[in-house]
Amino acid sequence: AQTVTQSQPEMSVQEAETVTLSCTYDTSESDYYLFWYKQPPSRQMILVIRQEAYKQQNATENRFSVNFQKAAKSFSLKISDSQLGDAAMYFCAYRRSGANSKLTFGKGITLSVRP
Amino acid sequence: EAGVAQSPRYKIIEKRQSVAFWCNPISGHATLYWYQQILGQGPKLLIQFQNNGVVDDSQLPKDRFSAERLKGVDSTLKIQPAKLEDSAVYLCASSSSAGLSYEQYFGPGTRLTVT
């Protein structure tokens, strides 16, 4: 069974600084997708960034980038130039390739941003 | 494009009572998911529909939970009777079969409190 581990329950970053959120996963599959989702307080979950396992290049979306280490089964999220609006819970999620496969989430990490 | 709609947003019931949640996915999305998110944890898939058929309900407590998607569009999740441990946010998500990653779009969730 696939598992996703986020070992840091909380992190804090100064506004405008850079922070990295860690995630590891376990799978026997070779073709899969990894995601980072953001869930602000009392608001809906939105996709931050997606990485296809077959791509060696790390995904980037504006201030968000990932460090995908397939052999180590590690998938960290880097947030550059942190903003107050980045404060939220962040979930790492895994999904194997295929139309009907489910998302498996980690426990999440609470990120606070200090002004 | 309208997002995933859910109602109600909040519900408070006493244990042993019944409750139902409603979800309307993004138009044209064939796949619909119900997740349970207990406070401080990541979402856990309860049931997944492809059109009006069940793809995965392995983690649905079938003695008390039921779900249907009769016309392959909107869906209802029911709990009968509710227990204290059912207190959680119930998230609905939908995805299209178009695109390789089958990205899931989440609704705002229904926060259930069982007293």
Side-chain angles (χ1 to χ4, degrees), chain B:
Chain B
E1 174 180 84
V4 177
Q6 289 188 249
S7 66
R9 292 294 310 276
Y10 304 92
K11 190 74 176 179
I12 301 174
I13 61 172
E14 296 182 351
K15 59 183 179 183
R16 291 187 290 274
Q17 286 187 325
S18 301
V19 64
F21 312 128
W22 176 81
C23 172
N24 193 28
I26 292 173
S27 178
H29 280 193
T31 309
L32 185 148
Y33 313 79
W34 282 103
Y35 291 88
Q36 180 191 57
Q37 185 179 15
I38 293 173
L39 183 65
Q41 298 183 19
K44 180 185 80 172
L45 180 70
L46 291 175
I47 188 167
Q48 176 183 343
F49 292 95
Q50 179 74 18
N51 297 309
N52 60 350
V54 176
V55 174
D56 184 349
D57 64 355
S58 57
Q59 298 195 83
L60 186 75
K62 298 180 184 65
D63 58 334
R64 298 183 301 106
F65 286 65
S66 65
E68 59 183 15
R69 193 185 184 199
L70 293 177
K71 296 182 180 179
V73 181
D74 58 344
S75 175
T76 302
L77 176 70
K78 296 180 181 178
I79 307 175
Q80 180 180 4
K83 293 185 175 181
L84 295 176
E85 59 260 36
D86 297 333
S87 294
V89 175
Y90 291 84
L91 297 169
C92 180
S94 69
S95 67
S96 166
S97 57
L100 290 177
S101 68
Y102 305 102
E103 179 179 333
Q104 294 185 25
Y105 296 83
F106 285 81
T110 296
R111 183 178 298 277
L112 174 67
T113 302
V114 182
T115 63

